[in-house]
Amino acid sequence: MDAVRVAWLREVLAGTEWLGATRRFAGVLRGSVVAHGGGLLLVGTPEYEPWHLAAHLVDEAAWSGTPELAPTLVRHHARPSDPAHLAVGPGRIAAARRGETLLVVAPEEPAPLLERVHSARRAGVTVLALGAGGGELAAMAHDTLVVPEGAELDLDTVQHLVSAAAGENAGPPRARRGFRDRLSQLAEALMAPPRSPW
């Protein structure tokens, strides 16, 4: 989803709780990784890998000048023959330590994932959760953004809003952010109703 579509989606969602909720969660995510100089691990479930969120966070990290936002995607079925950025397996969660952040995107909560998350939290890792909520993962997480089943937005759309907000909330503008801000403002101006001539 590009900046114009995100701007359009925000326009549609104006007045709902989603904009504030995704910006708040993105602020927690950004604050956690920036405060520790990086160390963002991103994991899903064996059936749901958040590779799309990983790609968007890499883009946001580059556009906002905040390299700490670029995650390491942890995959449950990673193989040594996979490209390096796709070959990180669940053992990386076991190796995580204080100062690192683990973002869990999980529409369901398989027991092996919960065990790994629990161990990481005990090791001092900041745990953030994005998913259905209400289960053990929400209880373990330092912060959670709940996307209940049947909500007006699905988990994929919420991930787009979170990643865009994480890059925007990167603090003072940096050299690479100017163009993106101008593009977003242009999109908003194009979508706004025409001004009355009176």
Side-chain angles (χ1 to χ4, degrees), residues 65-155:
T66 311
E68 300 90 349
L69 285 174
T72 298
L73 179 60
V74 177
R75 299 178 62 229
H76 293 272
H77 304 294
R79 298 180 310 257
S81 61
D82 290 336
H85 68 288
L86 298 175
V88 178
R92 178 61 181 89
I93 297 173
R97 294 292 172 252
R98 182 173 306 282
E100 292 184 286
T101 301
L102 175 62
L103 174 55
V104 183
V105 180
E108 74 278 339
E109 300 181 358
L113 174 63
L114 292 174
E115 291 168 13
R116 288 186 176 100
V117 171
H118 182 66
S119 296
R121 179 167 170 130
R122 279 199 337 255
V125 174
T126 299
V127 176
L128 304 177
L130 179 57
E136 291 181 53
L137 182 58
M140 272 186 250
H142 292 90
D143 204 331
T144 303
L145 179 56
V146 176
V147 185
E149 186 140 346
E152 51 278 337
L153 295 182
D154 63 9
L155 187 57

Side-chain angles (χ1 to χ4, degrees), residues 45-85:
T45 68
E47 292 76 31
Y48 185 90
E49 289 187 339
W51 60 268
H52 204 125
L53 177 58
H56 282 294
L57 285 171
V58 167
D59 289 344
E60 292 296 337
W63 291 331
S64 68
T66 311
E68 300 90 349
L69 285 174
T72 298
L73 179 60
V74 177
R75 299 178 62 229
H76 293 272
H77 304 294
R79 298 180 310 257
S81 61
D82 290 336
H85 68 288

Side-chain angles (χ1 to χ4, degrees), residues 1 5-6 9-10 13 16-27 29 42 48 50 52-54 56-57 60 103-107 129-133 144-167:
M1 190 175 289
R5 288 187 180 145
V6 169
L9 182 58
R10 287 179 175 158
L13 294 172
T16 70
E17 64 188 45
W18 287 109
L19 291 183
T22 53
R23 283 187 169 131
R24 182 202 59 77
F25 187 78
L29 170 62
L42 175 61
Y48 185 90
H52 204 125
L53 177 58
H56 282 294
L57 285 171
E60 292 296 337
L103 174 55
V104 183
V105 180
L130 179 57
T144 303
L145 179 56
V146 176
V147 185
E149 186 140 346
E152 51 278 337
L153 295 182
D154 63 9
L155 187 57
D156 290 335
T157 303
V158 171
Q159 290 176 68
H160 284 293
L161 292 169
V162 168
S163 63

